[in-house]
Amino acid sequence: MASLPRRGVLKGLPLAAGAAMTAWAANARATTPTAAAAAAFPQPVTRTARPRPRRLKTQLTVRFTEQKLPGVGTVRTRTYEGSVPGPTLRVRPGDSLEITHVNALPPNTGPQHHGAALNVPHGFNTVNLHLHGMHVDPTGEADNVFRSFEPSDTPGRTKTYRSVVDVPANHPAGTFWYHPHHHGATATQLLNGLAGVLIVEGDIDEVPEVAAAKDIVVCINELKLSGGRVPDLTSEDIYERIPSTFLVNGAAGPVLTIAPGEVQRWRLVNAGALTTLYLRLDGQKMHQIACDGITFMKPAAVTALQLPVGGRADLLIRGGEPGVYRLTAGGVPKPLMTLKVTGTPRPMKLPTRLPGRPPTLPEPTRTRALILRSYENVFSGNFPHAYRMLGEGETPHADPGAGRGDLAWGRFRPDYVNHRVRLGQVEEWTVTNDSRRHAHHPLHLHTNHFLLTAVNNRPLATPVWHDTVGLPPHGSITLRLRATDFVGRAMVHCHQSQHEDEGMMQILDYVR
């Protein structure tokens, strides 16, 4: 079978309360860009671990905030710490991340769905925490998406929760992100801008050419604004009727300046909910150095980049000829941002080698076959479509005679383990996109990265590590997985978050 070169892969595929604040101030520092820098190109506030002990102790308050977004106007959305995106958290391998969560949202209204009706969007003011792409404990008070951080039952009051995450000493250095993962509310909350970047510092940052480059967060949020607010997901097509507003670090179309010859490191994060971004930087070369937080063995020159919902890519950008250039996304009418090449030339070098993870795994001893399939108009009510994960391990029918109209079949059930994955065993999965319509399905796996080895049965010349990858329409991907270190329940699901909220999600149990 013909192989796909790395260049082709990268072009065509996604490459992943007062007392608490006093405690945070003693353990972390917050840095804000200067007014001049923020006006030109905004950067999120950064919270960084203190060295003794190596711990980032901080607070994340979720509340409705009215804010003026550059290029958009005044909006009211759910936010972390009053901004879109939330603060950037910086840690190192071996650090402890301790977060006090304050839910300052109002009480939930409307029905709270349970049982077979769980896969109807609901509970929009209930949150929790997912550290997307992080290789950390998925249980207890860590990256446990089965927790629920409920709002207070009394308007105007808050409720407080706690997360403690130990970052392994061997954790890869790279770009990750955090967001709520409460089932039924994920799409609405992401489309409010409820997300933030999480950076693990380490070996890649010590490469001289990378260390010399300006480190820039490019967090892309997708908002569905109508009348200055984001409506809750109360019917199937409510978001289809509203055009998406794309922001970079909370601004529409900001301008970034680079000198001719200067090298900058861009940490791109697709922190949206619905839209894969097909990115192109007009007139400039891009050199990718990492995908979904995993460093390459050497830079890869790319002319375009597919960034699925939840995906990340680290790029080195070297300023070319003076001029104004646009970062665009296919299907998005306005540029996401503008790059202005100007000033005195600053010749800088690109690295030739990187401390990456080799893109190899042994031959598998276990195989699985998964199918992502949507069914149109099979239910009554405001959510008539069914988004299902079928094939091996599918959630069984509650009523075998109901056929496609069975509410449970192939959809998320919190008491049903779909897959048991043994630590250390190499598995090969074939995941097929069998949807005729609503066929946009980015696959995301919690806790462990996987190695993408083939697309539509065509082997990749160089496999690529991912935690999120877009399934080709009416096609398939082949991946290899070797889970390590952590046992417990986690998720595999479609990261088109409305599909996820409506049931396109399964539970896997990592076991020894």
Side-chain angles (χ1 to χ4, degrees), residues 56-115:
L56 173 53
K57 190 171 184 178
T58 191
Q59 177 171 303
L60 292 176
T61 299
V62 178
R63 59 162 50 94
F64 277 105
T65 304
E66 187 171 283
Q67 55 194 318
K68 291 184 178 180
L69 300 178
V72 178
T74 300
V75 302
R76 184 175 185 266
T77 71
R78 298 171 176 90
T79 64
Y80 283 121
E81 297 293 286
S83 67
V84 176
T88 296
L89 308 181
R90 280 185 174 264
V91 296
R92 294 183 65 86
D95 283 1
S96 176
L97 176 60
E98 301 180 21
I99 302 175
T100 299
H101 303 272
V102 179
N103 189 338
L105 294 170
N108 283 307
T109 59
Q112 301 304 297
H113 297 279
H114 304 282

Tab-separated table of all heavy atoms in Angstrom, residues 56-115:
chain	number	residue	atom	x	y	z
A	56	LEU	N	2.139	24.369	42.072
A	56	LEU	CA	1.288	25.466	41.627
A	56	LEU	C	-0.038	25.335	42.359
A	56	LEU	O	-0.820	24.415	42.107
A	56	LEU	CB	1.073	25.431	40.113
A	56	LEU	CG	0.063	26.448	39.542
A	56	LEU	CD1	0.392	27.865	39.984
A	56	LEU	CD2	0.013	26.360	38.019
A	57	LYS	N	-0.248	26.230	43.300
A	57	LYS	CA	-1.480	26.240	44.070
A	57	LYS	C	-2.264	27.465	43.642
A	57	LYS	O	-1.815	28.598	43.839
A	57	LYS	CB	-1.170	26.292	45.561
A	57	LYS	CG	-2.369	26.059	46.460
A	57	LYS	CD	-1.946	25.913	47.918
A	57	LYS	CE	-3.135	25.583	48.803
A	57	LYS	NZ	-2.724	25.402	50.221
A	58	THR	N	-3.426	27.244	43.042
A	58	THR	CA	-4.140	28.351	42.431
A	58	THR	C	-5.644	28.146	42.559
A	58	THR	O	-6.108	27.149	43.108
A	58	THR	CB	-3.722	28.502	40.950
A	58	THR	OG1	-4.220	29.719	40.426
A	58	THR	CG2	-4.210	27.336	40.109
A	59	GLN	N	-6.386	29.110	42.058
A	59	GLN	CA	-7.844	29.071	42.116
A	59	GLN	C	-8.416	29.332	40.735
A	59	GLN	O	-7.893	30.155	39.976
A	59	GLN	CB	-8.364	30.135	43.087
A	59	GLN	CG	-9.885	30.233	43.160
A	59	GLN	CD	-10.347	31.144	44.275
A	59	GLN	OE1	-10.002	30.935	45.429
A	59	GLN	NE2	-11.097	32.179	43.938
A	60	LEU	N	-9.491	28.617	40.406
A	60	LEU	CA	-10.234	28.856	39.179
A	60	LEU	C	-11.691	29.074	39.555
A	60	LEU	O	-12.369	28.139	39.999
A	60	LEU	CB	-10.100	27.675	38.208
A	60	LEU	CG	-8.729	27.441	37.583
A	60	LEU	CD1	-8.739	26.182	36.728
A	60	LEU	CD2	-8.272	28.645	36.764
A	61	THR	N	-12.152	30.306	39.390
A	61	THR	CA	-13.544	30.641	39.670
A	61	THR	C	-14.313	30.695	38.362
A	61	THR	O	-13.899	31.366	37.408
A	61	THR	CB	-13.648	32.001	40.387
A	61	THR	OG1	-12.947	31.927	41.632
A	61	THR	CG2	-15.099	32.371	40.653
A	62	VAL	N	-15.421	29.967	38.305
A	62	VAL	CA	-16.299	29.967	37.136
A	62	VAL	C	-17.522	30.811	37.468
A	62	VAL	O	-18.218	30.560	38.448
A	62	VAL	CB	-16.730	28.539	36.764
A	62	VAL	CG1	-17.673	28.569	35.568
A	62	VAL	CG2	-15.518	27.674	36.461
A	63	ARG	N	-17.747	31.836	36.644
A	63	ARG	CA	-18.911	32.706	36.860
A	63	ARG	C	-19.314	33.328	35.539
A	63	ARG	O	-18.557	33.296	34.548
A	63	ARG	CB	-18.579	33.814	37.862
A	63	ARG	CG	-17.423	34.715	37.444
A	63	ARG	CD	-17.413	36.043	38.225
A	63	ARG	NE	-17.529	35.863	39.658
A	63	ARG	CZ	-16.496	35.797	40.499
A	63	ARG	NH1	-15.252	35.888	40.018
A	63	ARG	NH2	-16.684	35.664	41.789
A	64	PHE	N	-20.516	33.908	35.507
A	64	PHE	CA	-20.894	34.740	34.372
A	64	PHE	C	-20.154	36.070	34.483
A	64	PHE	O	-20.133	36.694	35.551
A	64	PHE	CB	-22.401	34.988	34.353
A	64	PHE	CG	-23.187	33.883	33.717
A	64	PHE	CD1	-23.923	32.992	34.488
A	64	PHE	CD2	-23.193	33.729	32.331
A	64	PHE	CE1	-24.657	31.978	33.895
A	64	PHE	CE2	-23.929	32.718	31.740
A	64	PHE	CZ	-24.661	31.839	32.519
A	65	THR	N	-19.534	36.498	33.371
A	65	THR	CA	-18.772	37.734	33.355
A	65	THR	C	-19.177	38.559	32.147
A	65	THR	O	-19.288	38.029	31.032
A	65	THR	CB	-17.258	37.446	33.271
A	65	THR	OG1	-16.886	36.596	34.353
A	65	THR	CG2	-16.458	38.737	33.324
A	66	GLU	N	-19.385	39.839	32.364
A	66	GLU	CA	-19.582	40.756	31.252
A	66	GLU	C	-18.241	41.389	30.931
A	66	GLU	O	-17.597	41.968	31.804
A	66	GLU	CB	-20.614	41.825	31.601
A	66	GLU	CG	-20.992	42.708	30.412
A	66	GLU	CD	-22.156	43.622	30.712
A	66	GLU	OE1	-23.306	43.139	30.720
A	66	GLU	OE2	-21.906	44.823	30.941
A	67	GLN	N	-17.806	41.273	29.693
A	67	GLN	CA	-16.483	41.759	29.315
A	67	GLN	C	-16.534	42.345	27.913
A	67	GLN	O	-17.388	41.992	27.100
A	67	GLN	CB	-15.463	40.624	29.383
A	67	GLN	CG	-15.851	39.419	28.546
A	67	GLN	CD	-15.046	38.202	28.873
A	67	GLN	OE1	-13.844	38.275	29.056
A	67	GLN	NE2	-15.699	37.050	28.936
A	68	LYS	N	-15.583	43.242	27.660
A	68	LYS	CA	-15.444	43.825	26.336
A	68	LYS	C	-14.337	43.080	25.600
A	68	LYS	O	-13.175	43.147	25.990
A	68	LYS	CB	-15.120	45.317	26.441
A	68	LYS	CG	-16.264	46.155	26.977
A	68	LYS	CD	-15.917	47.644	26.977
A	68	LYS	CE	-17.097	48.472	27.471
A	68	LYS	NZ	-16.785	49.937	27.489
A	69	LEU	N	-14.720	42.374	24.552
A	69	LEU	CA	-13.764	41.610	23.770
A	69	LEU	C	-13.334	42.426	22.555
A	69	LEU	O	-14.183	42.858	21.764
A	69	LEU	CB	-14.387	40.286	23.316
A	69	LEU	CG	-14.849	39.345	24.433
A	69	LEU	CD1	-15.476	38.098	23.829
A	69	LEU	CD2	-13.715	38.991	25.369
A	70	PRO	N	-12.030	42.675	22.393
A	70	PRO	CA	-11.561	43.466	21.252
A	70	PRO	C	-12.027	42.894	19.928
A	70	PRO	O	-11.877	41.701	19.658
A	70	PRO	CB	-10.026	43.386	21.389
A	70	PRO	CG	-9.786	43.150	22.845
A	70	PRO	CD	-10.928	42.286	23.293
A	71	GLY	N	-12.619	43.753	19.122
A	71	GLY	CA	-13.113	43.346	17.821
A	71	GLY	C	-14.472	42.695	17.842
A	71	GLY	O	-15.008	42.353	16.786
A	72	VAL	N	-15.059	42.520	19.031
A	72	VAL	CA	-16.370	41.874	19.148
A	72	VAL	C	-17.369	42.785	19.831
A	72	VAL	O	-18.477	42.997	19.348
A	72	VAL	CB	-16.260	40.539	19.926
A	72	VAL	CG1	-17.638	39.900	20.092
A	72	VAL	CG2	-15.321	39.579	19.209
A	73	GLY	N	-16.998	43.328	20.988
A	73	GLY	CA	-17.905	44.174	21.760
A	73	GLY	C	-18.157	43.569	23.123
A	73	GLY	O	-17.417	42.705	23.599
A	74	THR	N	-19.194	44.019	23.776
A	74	THR	CA	-19.524	43.567	25.119
A	74	THR	C	-20.347	42.287	25.059
A	74	THR	O	-21.364	42.218	24.369
A	74	THR	CB	-20.312	44.653	25.875
A	74	THR	OG1	-19.505	45.838	25.954
A	74	THR	CG2	-20.641	44.196	27.288
A	75	VAL	N	-19.875	41.278	25.778
A	75	VAL	CA	-20.565	39.994	25.811
A	75	VAL	C	-20.646	39.518	27.268
A	75	VAL	O	-19.866	39.943	28.125
A	75	VAL	CB	-19.858	38.926	24.954
A	75	VAL	CG1	-19.733	39.381	23.511
A	75	VAL	CG2	-18.489	38.597	25.515
A	76	ARG	N	-21.566	38.616	27.517
A	76	ARG	CA	-21.716	37.992	28.830
A	76	ARG	C	-21.613	36.485	28.653
A	76	ARG	O	-22.442	35.876	27.981
A	76	ARG	CB	-23.055	38.368	29.469
A	76	ARG	CG	-23.243	37.842	30.890
A	76	ARG	CD	-24.549	38.373	31.480
A	76	ARG	NE	-24.707	37.994	32.884
A	76	ARG	CZ	-25.366	36.909	33.305
A	76	ARG	NH1	-25.950	36.115	32.410
A	76	ARG	NH2	-25.462	36.637	34.596
A	77	THR	N	-20.568	35.898	29.206
A	77	THR	CA	-20.347	34.463	29.063
A	77	THR	C	-19.868	33.875	30.373
A	77	THR	O	-19.435	34.587	31.279
A	77	THR	CB	-19.293	34.148	27.976
A	77	THR	OG1	-17.995	34.535	28.455
A	77	THR	CG2	-19.589	34.867	26.668
A	78	ARG	N	-19.919	32.569	30.466
A	78	ARG	CA	-19.273	31.854	31.561
A	78	ARG	C	-17.762	31.901	31.348
A	78	ARG	O	-17.289	31.636	30.232
A	78	ARG	CB	-19.746	30.401	31.607
A	78	ARG	CG	-21.246	30.234	31.860
A	78	ARG	CD	-21.650	28.775	31.663
A	78	ARG	NE	-23.051	28.504	31.965
A	78	ARG	CZ	-24.047	28.577	31.097
A	78	ARG	NH1	-23.800	28.958	29.833
A	78	ARG	NH2	-25.287	28.292	31.455
A	79	THR	N	-17.006	32.215	32.395
A	79	THR	CA	-15.557	32.373	32.256
A	79	THR	C	-14.819	31.718	33.415
A	79	THR	O	-15.376	31.493	34.485
A	79	THR	CB	-15.147	33.854	32.230
A	79	THR	OG1	-15.491	34.456	33.506
A	79	THR	CG2	-15.818	34.621	31.102
A	80	TYR	N	-13.542	31.416	33.178
A	80	TYR	CA	-12.591	31.168	34.241
A	80	TYR	C	-11.937	32.497	34.610
A	80	TYR	O	-11.359	33.177	33.738
A	80	TYR	CB	-11.479	30.223	33.781
A	80	TYR	CG	-11.844	28.767	33.698
A	80	TYR	CD1	-11.736	28.089	32.481
A	80	TYR	CD2	-12.234	28.043	34.813
A	80	TYR	CE1	-12.025	26.737	32.390
A	80	TYR	CE2	-12.526	26.692	34.733
A	80	TYR	CZ	-12.425	26.045	33.517
A	80	TYR	OH	-12.716	24.702	33.431
A	81	GLU	N	-12.020	32.877	35.874
A	81	GLU	CA	-11.318	34.052	36.382
A	81	GLU	C	-11.636	35.323	35.600
A	81	GLU	O	-10.804	36.221	35.472
A	81	GLU	CB	-9.799	33.812	36.383
A	81	GLU	CG	-9.369	32.678	37.293
A	81	GLU	CD	-9.596	32.981	38.774
A	81	GLU	OE1	-8.834	33.773	39.334
A	81	GLU	OE2	-10.550	32.419	39.358
A	82	GLY	N	-12.833	35.389	35.013
A	82	GLY	CA	-13.296	36.618	34.402
A	82	GLY	C	-12.765	36.925	33.029
A	82	GLY	O	-12.895	38.060	32.558
A	83	SER	N	-12.166	35.939	32.330
A	83	SER	CA	-11.597	36.244	31.019
A	83	SER	C	-11.734	35.052	30.084
A	83	SER	O	-11.901	33.912	30.511
A	83	SER	CB	-10.116	36.628	31.145
A	83	SER	OG	-9.346	35.510	31.559
A	84	VAL	N	-11.667	35.340	28.790
A	84	VAL	CA	-11.611	34.326	27.736
A	84	VAL	C	-10.295	34.505	26.998
A	84	VAL	O	-10.043	35.579	26.459
A	84	VAL	CB	-12.790	34.476	26.742
A	84	VAL	CG1	-12.645	33.480	25.596
A	84	VAL	CG2	-14.128	34.298	27.440
A	85	PRO	N	-9.408	33.485	26.980
A	85	PRO	CA	-9.494	32.244	27.742
A	85	PRO	C	-9.139	32.474	29.208
A	85	PRO	O	-8.835	33.598	29.602
A	85	PRO	CB	-8.452	31.354	27.058
A	85	PRO	CG	-7.414	32.335	26.602
A	85	PRO	CD	-8.179	33.569	26.179
A	86	GLY	N	-9.160	31.412	30.009
A	86	GLY	CA	-8.724	31.502	31.391
A	86	GLY	C	-7.216	31.622	31.478
A	86	GLY	O	-6.505	31.645	30.469
A	87	PRO	N	-6.682	31.713	32.695
A	87	PRO	CA	-5.231	31.874	32.858
A	87	PRO	C	-4.458	30.680	32.330
A	87	PRO	O	-4.941	29.538	32.368
A	87	PRO	CB	-5.057	32.023	34.377
A	87	PRO	CG	-6.289	31.456	34.972
A	87	PRO	CD	-7.390	31.699	33.980
A	88	THR	N	-3.258	30.933	31.830
A	88	THR	CA	-2.343	29.873	31.424
A	88	THR	C	-1.627	29.349	32.663
A	88	THR	O	-1.061	30.123	33.439
A	88	THR	CB	-1.324	30.397	30.401
A	88	THR	OG1	-2.007	30.789	29.210
A	88	THR	CG2	-0.296	29.334	30.053
A	89	LEU	N	-1.642	28.045	32.839
A	89	LEU	CA	-0.974	27.399	33.968
A	89	LEU	C	0.321	26.767	33.478
A	89	LEU	O	0.323	26.035	32.486
A	89	LEU	CB	-1.884	26.332	34.582
A	89	LEU	CG	-3.311	26.767	34.951
A	89	LEU	CD1	-4.075	25.598	35.564
A	89	LEU	CD2	-3.299	27.969	35.884
A	90	ARG	N	1.424	27.062	34.172
A	90	ARG	CA	2.735	26.515	33.800
A	90	ARG	C	3.276	25.649	34.933
A	90	ARG	O	3.384	26.097	36.067
A	90	ARG	CB	3.737	27.632	33.493
A	90	ARG	CG	3.598	28.239	32.093
A	90	ARG	CD	4.699	29.251	31.817
A	90	ARG	NE	4.676	29.730	30.449
A	90	ARG	CZ	5.421	29.246	29.452
A	90	ARG	NH1	6.265	28.241	29.700
A	90	ARG	NH2	5.338	29.741	28.238
A	91	VAL	N	3.618	24.398	34.603
A	91	VAL	CA	4.203	23.474	35.558
A	91	VAL	C	5.391	22.778	34.899
A	91	VAL	O	5.656	22.953	33.706
A	91	VAL	CB	3.174	22.423	36.036
A	91	VAL	CG1	2.037	23.093	36.788
A	91	VAL	CG2	2.629	21.618	34.861
A	92	ARG	N	6.094	21.971	35.699
A	92	ARG	CA	7.173	21.139	35.195
A	92	ARG	C	6.941	19.703	35.641
A	92	ARG	O	6.201	19.454	36.595
A	92	ARG	CB	8.535	21.638	35.706
A	92	ARG	CG	8.940	23.012	35.186
A	92	ARG	CD	10.331	23.392	35.676
A	92	ARG	NE	11.351	22.514	35.126
A	92	ARG	CZ	11.947	22.694	33.944
A	92	ARG	NH1	11.616	23.732	33.180
A	92	ARG	NH2	12.871	21.844	33.524
A	93	PRO	N	7.559	18.728	34.967
A	93	PRO	CA	7.455	17.347	35.438
A	93	PRO	C	7.863	17.251	36.905
A	93	PRO	O	8.856	17.857	37.328
A	93	PRO	CB	8.431	16.590	34.525
A	93	PRO	CG	8.465	17.400	33.260
A	93	PRO	CD	8.357	18.826	33.713
A	94	GLY	N	7.087	16.505	37.677
A	94	GLY	CA	7.345	16.370	39.099
A	94	GLY	C	6.618	17.367	39.965
A	94	GLY	O	6.604	17.233	41.196
A	95	ASP	N	5.983	18.367	39.358
A	95	ASP	CA	5.233	19.368	40.123
A	95	ASP	C	3.908	18.805	40.617
A	95	ASP	O	3.381	17.827	40.079
A	95	ASP	CB	4.930	20.602	39.258
A	95	ASP	CG	6.133	21.517	39.083
A	95	ASP	OD1	7.207	21.191	39.609
A	95	ASP	OD2	5.983	22.549	38.408
A	96	SER	N	3.364	19.491	41.624
A	96	SER	CA	2.000	19.242	42.073
A	96	SER	C	1.150	20.427	41.670
A	96	SER	O	1.554	21.582	41.846
A	96	SER	CB	1.978	19.060	43.600
A	96	SER	OG	0.654	18.921	44.056
A	97	LEU	N	-0.009	20.141	41.111
A	97	LEU	CA	-0.970	21.170	40.703
A	97	LEU	C	-2.175	21.061	41.626
A	97	LEU	O	-2.871	20.048	41.632
A	97	LEU	CB	-1.377	20.962	39.242
A	97	LEU	CG	-2.451	21.883	38.655
A	97	LEU	CD1	-2.015	23.341	38.712
A	97	LEU	CD2	-2.775	21.484	37.218
A	98	GLU	N	-2.395	22.108	42.443
A	98	GLU	CA	-3.490	22.118	43.402
A	98	GLU	C	-4.435	23.264	43.057
A	98	GLU	O	-4.041	24.427	43.077
A	98	GLU	CB	-2.971	22.275	44.829
A	98	GLU	CG	-1.999	21.172	45.242
A	98	GLU	CD	-1.489	21.342	46.662
A	98	GLU	OE1	-2.160	22.050	47.450
A	98	GLU	OE2	-0.427	20.783	46.983
A	99	ILE	N	-5.667	22.921	42.713
A	99	ILE	CA	-6.628	23.914	42.233
A	99	ILE	C	-7.843	23.943	43.157
A	99	ILE	O	-8.440	22.904	43.446
A	99	ILE	CB	-7.087	23.610	40.792
A	99	ILE	CG1	-5.890	23.555	39.839
A	99	ILE	CG2	-8.094	24.655	40.315
A	99	ILE	CD1	-6.256	23.137	38.428
A	100	THR	N	-8.179	25.146	43.614
A	100	THR	CA	-9.446	25.363	44.290
A	100	THR	C	-10.448	25.840	43.246
A	100	THR	O	-10.240	26.873	42.610
A	100	THR	CB	-9.313	26.407	45.408
A	100	THR	OG1	-8.382	25.931	46.380
A	100	THR	CG2	-10.648	26.679	46.066
A	101	HIS	N	-11.499	25.060	43.053
A	101	HIS	CA	-12.530	25.409	42.081
A	101	HIS	C	-13.682	26.092	42.816
A	101	HIS	O	-14.215	25.534	43.786
A	101	HIS	CB	-13.080	24.162	41.387
A	101	HIS	CG	-12.044	23.339	40.691
A	101	HIS	ND1	-11.655	23.563	39.391
A	101	HIS	CD2	-11.307	22.280	41.128
A	101	HIS	CE1	-10.735	22.682	39.044
A	101	HIS	NE2	-10.497	21.895	40.082
A	102	VAL	N	-14.051	27.266	42.363
A	102	VAL	CA	-15.192	27.977	42.927
A	102	VAL	C	-16.260	28.060	41.849
A	102	VAL	O	-16.043	28.678	40.800
A	102	VAL	CB	-14.805	29.386	43.412
A	102	VAL	CG1	-16.033	30.107	43.976
A	102	VAL	CG2	-13.702	29.308	44.463
A	103	ASN	N	-17.393	27.425	42.088
A	103	ASN	CA	-18.517	27.501	41.158
A	103	ASN	C	-19.418	28.637	41.630
A	103	ASN	O	-20.158	28.491	42.608
A	103	ASN	CB	-19.294	26.194	41.097
A	103	ASN	CG	-20.320	26.191	39.978
A	103	ASN	OD1	-20.750	27.251	39.509
A	103	ASN	ND2	-20.727	25.014	39.524
A	104	ALA	N	-19.315	29.768	40.938
A	104	ALA	CA	-20.124	30.946	41.256
A	104	ALA	C	-21.254	31.139	40.258
A	104	ALA	O	-21.810	32.238	40.160
A	104	ALA	CB	-19.232	32.187	41.293
A	105	LEU	N	-21.589	30.096	39.520
A	105	LEU	CA	-22.707	30.157	38.581
A	105	LEU	C	-24.025	30.034	39.338
A	105	LEU	O	-24.069	29.489	40.449
A	105	LEU	CB	-22.586	29.036	37.545
A	105	LEU	CG	-21.397	29.136	36.586
A	105	LEU	CD1	-21.257	27.853	35.788
A	105	LEU	CD2	-21.520	30.339	35.660
A	106	PRO	N	-25.116	30.495	38.757
A	106	PRO	CA	-26.428	30.362	39.419
A	106	PRO	C	-26.908	28.916	39.412
A	106	PRO	O	-26.353	28.062	38.700
A	106	PRO	CB	-27.324	31.266	38.580
A	106	PRO	CG	-26.677	31.335	37.244
A	106	PRO	CD	-25.197	31.254	37.494
A	107	PRO	N	-27.935	28.611	40.187
A	107	PRO	CA	-28.471	27.242	40.205
A	107	PRO	C	-28.924	26.811	38.809
A	107	PRO	O	-29.340	27.630	37.980
A	107	PRO	CB	-29.660	27.334	41.165
A	107	PRO	CG	-29.387	28.536	42.010
A	107	PRO	CD	-28.644	29.502	41.140
A	108	ASN	N	-28.829	25.512	38.555
A	108	ASN	CA	-29.330	24.971	37.292
A	108	ASN	C	-30.842	25.115	37.213
A	108	ASN	O	-31.550	25.035	38.215
A	108	ASN	CB	-28.963	23.489	37.168
A	108	ASN	CG	-27.509	23.283	36.783
A	108	ASN	OD1	-27.036	23.844	35.801
A	108	ASN	ND2	-26.797	22.472	37.559
A	109	THR	N	-31.318	25.342	36.006
A	109	THR	CA	-32.755	25.371	35.747
A	109	THR	C	-33.085	24.313	34.711
A	109	THR	O	-32.206	23.808	34.009
A	109	THR	CB	-33.196	26.748	35.232
A	109	THR	OG1	-32.472	27.058	34.020
A	109	THR	CG2	-32.924	27.829	36.269
A	110	GLY	N	-34.344	23.971	34.601
A	110	GLY	CA	-34.750	22.970	33.635
A	110	GLY	C	-34.519	21.574	34.164
A	110	GLY	O	-33.926	21.364	35.223
A	111	PRO	N	-34.944	20.551	33.427
A	111	PRO	CA	-34.818	19.165	33.886
A	111	PRO	C	-33.358	18.722	33.915
A	111	PRO	O	-32.558	19.098	33.058
A	111	PRO	CB	-35.629	18.378	32.860
A	111	PRO	CG	-35.615	19.231	31.619
A	111	PRO	CD	-35.610	20.648	32.110
A	112	GLN	N	-32.999	17.941	34.934
A	112	GLN	CA	-31.684	17.320	35.015
A	112	GLN	C	-31.850	15.852	34.636
A	112	GLN	O	-32.492	15.089	35.352
A	112	GLN	CB	-31.123	17.470	36.428
A	112	GLN	CG	-30.984	18.920	36.879
A	112	GLN	CD	-30.139	19.736	35.926
A	112	GLN	OE1	-28.952	19.459	35.754
A	112	GLN	NE2	-30.731	20.741	35.290
A	113	HIS	N	-31.305	15.480	33.493
A	113	HIS	CA	-31.628	14.183	32.891
A	113	HIS	C	-30.810	13.059	33.515
A	113	HIS	O	-29.635	13.215	33.826
A	113	HIS	CB	-31.391	14.252	31.386
A	113	HIS	CG	-32.287	15.239	30.700
A	113	HIS	ND1	-33.585	14.943	30.370
A	113	HIS	CD2	-32.082	16.519	30.301
A	113	HIS	CE1	-34.140	15.997	29.786
A	113	HIS	NE2	-33.250	16.962	29.730
A	114	HIS	N	-31.442	11.910	33.656
A	114	HIS	CA	-30.812	10.738	34.236
A	114	HIS	C	-31.230	9.513	33.436
A	114	HIS	O	-32.109	9.569	32.580
A	114	HIS	CB	-31.214	10.573	35.710
A	114	HIS	CG	-30.911	11.771	36.550
A	114	HIS	ND1	-29.640	12.060	37.003
A	114	HIS	CD2	-31.716	12.765	37.004
A	114	HIS	CE1	-29.666	13.176	37.707
A	114	HIS	NE2	-30.912	13.629	37.728
A	115	GLY	N	-30.580	8.384	33.723
A	115	GLY	CA	-30.952	7.125	33.096
A	115	GLY	C	-30.809	7.170	31.589
A	115	GLY	O	-29.827	7.687	31.050
